[in-house]
Amino acid sequence: MGAERWSHFPHAADVGIRGAGPDPASAFEQAALALTAVITDLDRVRPDQSLTVTCDAPDLELLFYCWLNRVIWAMATERMLFRRFDVRIDGERLMATLWGEPVDRARHQPAVEPKGATFTELAVKPDDHGQWTAQCVVDV
């Protein structure tokens, strides 16, 4: 894992993203950073504007899948990239604030446009030390 506790992992045609943290919400935040890092260098994105999103799902894995697709949808419809995330999970409901800025092609130099999170290698689980990991493959 990188210093920010997110990473990418190899997949044949797409890209795997992974986030880790002391709880599922933190792991979800870190995975969203990994998602942005698939597109551009995180240091190029300024957290100037906020957007609030919510989603619901009956378990943590589906909630993670819903979360990533909600972030991808927000990127596409708002034409923004996000650099900071504050995720709160209450049972089957996720509420989050995303901070970012409109895409500036010259400065951000986007490499790809994510199409959606997939069920491939989808997992949200703690390790033996209580550290949570959230991961899946993203279609790019």
Side-chain angles (χ1 to χ4, degrees):
M1 297 297 263
E4 293 203 31
R5 306 181 60 78
W6 62 264
S7 63
H8 298 141
F9 59 90
H11 186 267
D14 297 313
V15 63
I17 60 169
R18 180 179 292 131
D23 52 53
S26 298
F28 284 27
E29 292 168 358
Q30 292 300 311
L33 286 171
L35 176 64
T36 299
V38 168
I39 303 164
T40 190
D41 180 341
L42 289 172
D43 291 335
R44 294 181 181 170
V45 181
R46 295 186 293 246
D48 293 340
Q49 300 173 24
S50 67
L51 177 69
T52 302
V53 301
T54 61
C55 53
D56 299 279
D59 64 49
L60 278 175
E61 287 183 346
L62 291 176
L63 194 59
F64 180 61
Y65 171 83
C66 176
W67 157 243
L68 289 178
N69 282 313
R70 186 64 181 90
V71 173
I72 291 167
W73 183 83
M75 287 176 171
T77 60
E78 301 295 326
R79 292 182 168 86
M80 291 180 70
L81 291 172
F82 300 101
R83 174 66 179 95
R84 195 170 122 219
F85 304 89
D86 178 26
V87 173
R88 296 161 313 285
I89 299 172
D90 184 12
E92 296 179 349
R93 184 165 192 77
L94 179 147
M95 299 140 293
T97 304
L98 294 62
W99 286 271
E101 65 175 327
V103 174
D104 177 336
R105 290 197 178 279
R107 186 164 42 86
H108 295 133
Q109 300 176 355
V112 297
E113 182 177 356
K115 297 176 186 121
T118 72
F119 290 111
T120 304
E121 299 197 43
L122 176 64
V124 177
K125 60 186 176 190
D127 65 16
D128 294 339
H129 306 288
Q131 181 77 12
W132 284 82
T133 299
Q135 71 174 38
C136 76
V137 170
V138 175
D139 183 15
V140 293

